Amino acid sequence: MNVEIELMTIHASKDKEADYVVLIGLLSDELPAEKPVDDILELLLPLKESYPDAEERRLFYVALTRAKNRVYLVYSPLDPSNFMKELESEEYNTCQHEIINGDFSQNPYFPACPECGRGVLSIKNGSHGPFVGCSKFPVCKHTENICSFCRSGILEKKGENLACTNCQVAIPVCPKCGGDLLIREGKYGQFLGCSNYRSDDVISCNYTRKI
Ligand SMILES: [Zn+2]
Ligand SMILES: [Zn+2]
Ligand SMILES: [Zn+2]
């Protein structure tokens, strides 16, 4: 099989054709590109166009129509171009699984947000350390706890435990305050005690359970 691959900008692709086209860089800060409005060009245009980013939109159309057989759109669901967001919306009758990487939502590291279903979960840095949050923040405020053992999975409530989606870790949860239960040494042997217990704080959680 004779495969020829050419790399070019959208501008350079005008009037060209290929069997298959792969568009990369469909990210929020790449397309539409922010650029100063050209006043003279605006004057020369026959009608004031009502669509936002009309010029870049035309460019995107050019890119989409270069392929004879198929066009592949590559983008990160964490930071998609506004044009990709529009294509994903219900307004367009597009084949979603060909746009959204189906495997992405099944990836245990970055599952789809269980709350809004539109965003994907990723690791963010908070003031209390890393946590998992939804890419649609602030619209969606869903967060989850990261497994501190493998640092790749998410801790989900499973019965009386918090279980990791990635490794075998299952942390028993305090039914009183929701904190982790830790193995502690006592006078009479080991027991499970709440991680929020502080010996010098009488109002801290004092839940214990036999092992
Ligand atoms: Zn969400
Ligand atoms: Zn884990
Ligand atoms: Zn507790």
Side-chain angles (χ1 to χ4, degrees):
M1 196 168 67
N2 189 15
V3 180
E4 251 180 70
I5 298 174
E6 255 189 281
L7 185 72
M8 64 184 77
T9 62
I10 300 178
H11 280 286
S13 76
K14 256 181 194 165
D15 303 323
K16 287 193 176 166
E17 246 187 349
D19 291 335
Y20 296 90
V21 170
V22 181
L23 294 181
I24 59 170
L26 300 173
L27 303 174
S28 66
D29 56 349
E30 305 252 348
L31 193 89
E34 268 188 53
K35 53 181 179 180
V37 177
D38 190 331
D39 292 339
I40 296 170
L41 188 73
E42 290 273 287
L43 278 174
L44 291 173
L45 286 173
L47 283 168
K48 182 111 182 84
E49 285 168 286
S50 54
Y51 281 108
D53 306 303
E55 216 189 311
E56 294 276 294
R57 203 170 281 273
R58 264 197 303 272
L59 205 60
F60 187 47
Y61 176 78
V62 166
L64 286 176
T65 52
R66 293 310 88 201
K68 277 186 236 171
N69 297 332
R70 194 169 280 225
V71 56
Y72 293 92
L73 309 172
V74 183
Y75 71 105
S76 162
L78 299 177
D79 188 28
S81 153
N82 280 340
F83 293 164
M84 289 313 303
K85 285 190 202 160
E86 281 179 39
L87 278 181
E88 272 184 44
S89 73
E90 270 133 42
E91 199 182 325
Y92 298 99
N93 188 16
T94 48
C95 207
Q96 291 283 326
H97 71 272
E98 287 192 358
I99 293 179
I100 299 168
N101 181 348
D103 294 340
F104 208 86
S105 61
Q106 276 141 42
N107 184 332
Y109 301 172
F110 294 111
C113 175
E115 199 170 313
C116 67
R118 304 282 300 166
V120 277
L121 302 181
S122 69
I123 295 171
K124 298 173 189 265
N125 280 312
S127 49
H128 301 292
F131 68 99
V132 168
C134 177
S135 60
K136 296 287 179 203
F137 181 84
V139 177
C140 174
K141 294 189 170 61
H142 183 77
T143 58
E144 307 203 10
N145 293 318
I146 296 173
C147 170
S148 56
F149 186 75
C150 70
R151 297 195 170 274
S152 300
I154 289 164
L155 296 175
E156 286 177 346
K157 203 151 195 273
K158 252 193 198 151
E160 288 190 327
N161 295 328
L162 276 180
C164 177
T165 54
N166 182 54
C167 70
Q168 298 303 310
V169 156
I171 302 162
V173 181
C174 172
K176 232 170 122 181
C177 74
D180 301 349
L181 292 183
L182 307 172
I183 296 173
R184 294 190 187 275
E185 297 282 344
K187 258 187 271 179
Y188 307 105
Q190 291 187 327
F191 64 95
L192 287 177
C194 182
S195 59
N196 288 329
Y197 173 71
R198 302 285 178 274
S199 57
D200 56 356
D201 182 355
V202 284
I203 59 160
S204 68
C205 183
N206 60 2
Y207 178 84
T208 60
R209 187 201 296 171
K210 280 185 215 159
I211 294 179

